[in-house]
Amino acid sequence: MVKNCAHRGFSGKYPENTKIAFEKAIALPGCDGIENDVHLTKDGEVVIIHDELLDRTCLNMTGFVKDYTLEELRKADLSYKFAGEVEPQHIMTLREYLELLKPTKLVTNIELKTGIFEYPGIEKKVYDLIREFDMVDRIIISSFNHYSVKRMKELCPEIRCGLLTDCWILDAGKYVRENGFECYHPRFTNCTPELTKEIREKGVDINCWTVNEEEDIRKMIEAGVTTIIGNFPDRVAAMLKE
């Protein structure tokens, strides 16, 4: 059965990577997991937000996440385009997120946003939190920075890891397996039935992103991917129920 993962929470209907988006995903029947993105603050706290810059999703602050302390970032309103429709949304730490998810059965895909700024030490900070909450078996670590994923794997060999890509990789299944990982996280447009079959035959899970339209969701189900990561987990749930 294809798994249904809420991309940045229920981000199609609520501000992405915020508490309300996560709560709505948790409450949704048929949602199997949540994807989020982490950065480090100026004072070394692991926080959840997608972009390196605040500008796109923040209503009252600009600049790089890394240049602010957690206390300063608490003032940011991340309501994004949903301002006025929801209460002001404030940045969450990974600790707060894990506290929210711990009582559930949902899996979490934590994307390390180390593609532009490497945030030295972020892997250890994330690992320590996952271990503290005893959630290693419910976590997938991913990143476009495959060196960052490798560092996490060295810290915790048993944690599942996925390599994010935004291009067509030759023999992707072999690349993932030979580097000691379990999952491949491609853009959904790269998941043809032929390539999906070839990669899964190598024992690699395919967790594709970002699949929002019903036509594309159906294509991914028919292609046989492992997980659909999308902004509208309600649409995925409804189609899987069919």
Side-chain angles (χ1 to χ4, degrees):
M1 173 66 75
V2 176
K3 299 296 184 182
N4 178 13
C5 183
H7 185 238
R8 309 177 199 170
F10 199 157
S11 59
K13 295 186 178 179
Y14 304 94
E16 64 179 62
N17 274 329
T18 63
K19 186 176 182 180
I20 190 172
F22 298 141
E23 289 175 334
K24 294 298 184 180
I26 291 169
L28 181 70
C31 182
D32 301 300
I34 297 173
E35 185 268 355
N36 65 33
D37 311 270
V38 297
H39 296 259
L40 282 187
T41 65
K42 186 178 181 179
D43 50 345
E45 294 290 337
V46 185
V47 292
I48 298 176
I49 188 170
H50 182 268
D51 300 356
E52 286 75 15
L53 283 166
L54 292 163
D55 302 41
R56 180 178 64 87
T57 56
C58 182
L59 300 179
N60 59 338
M61 293 173 65
T62 60
F64 290 109
V65 173
K66 71 179 184 65
D67 292 335
Y68 290 96
T69 65
L70 176 58
E71 183 179 358
E72 291 168 335
L73 287 170
R74 294 289 197 192
K75 301 171 186 175
D77 180 358
L78 302 177
S79 299
Y80 183 36
K81 62 184 179 183
F82 300 94
E85 299 176 24
V86 299
E87 294 286 327
Q89 295 296 305
H90 303 293
I91 202 161
M92 290 186 74
T93 63
L94 182 58
R95 173 178 295 280
E96 291 165 341
Y97 173 86
L98 294 176
E99 288 173 350
L100 182 67
L101 265 285
K102 175 69 174 177
T104 77
K105 295 182 179 180
L106 273 63
V107 171
T108 291
N109 175 184
I110 300 174
E111 180 181 341
L112 306 175
K113 298 299 289 188
T114 46
I116 295 178
F117 303 118
E118 285 213 282
Y119 298 119
I122 190 173
E123 297 88 4
K124 180 66 162 55
K125 287 177 180 287
V126 170
Y127 166 69
D128 286 346
L129 283 165
I130 294 168
R131 183 63 75 184
E132 178 184 336
F133 282 85
D134 191 26
M135 291 177 66
V136 170
D137 61 341
R138 290 172 50 194
I139 301 291
I140 299 173
I141 296 294
S142 65
S143 181
F144 284 99
N145 181 339
H146 298 177
Y147 289 99
S148 185
V149 183
K150 185 177 182 180
R151 288 192 287 269
M152 179 61 82
K153 197 68 168 174
E154 290 170 349
L155 284 169
C156 185
E158 66 268 35
I159 202 164
R160 292 179 64 77
C161 292
L163 301 182
L164 273 160
T165 68
D166 195 13
C167 61
W168 297 73
I169 290 182
L170 293 172
D171 208 345
K174 180 181 179 183
Y175 173 67
V176 172
R177 294 304 295 175
E178 287 189 348
N179 282 285
F181 306 117
E182 298 82 11
C183 308
Y184 180 49
H185 290 214
R187 179 185 290 274
F188 81 89
T189 50
N190 299 357
C191 296
T192 65
E194 296 77 20
L195 286 178
T196 299
K197 181 174 184 291
E198 177 185 323
I199 292 167
R200 295 208 66 182
E201 284 177 348
K202 289 184 168 63
V204 173
D205 286 345
I206 301 178
N207 306 321
C208 62
W209 55 273
T210 301
V211 197
N212 292 331
E213 303 305 323
E214 291 187 2
E215 178 183 357
D216 297 322
I217 293 168
R218 190 174 303 281
K219 285 180 180 178
M220 292 303 98
I221 293 171
E222 292 173 352
V225 300
T226 310
T227 304
I228 292 174
I229 304 172
N231 299 346
F232 296 92
D234 55 335
R235 295 177 184 174
V236 179
M239 296 191 73
L240 288 173
K241 191 174 181 179
E242 292 177 7

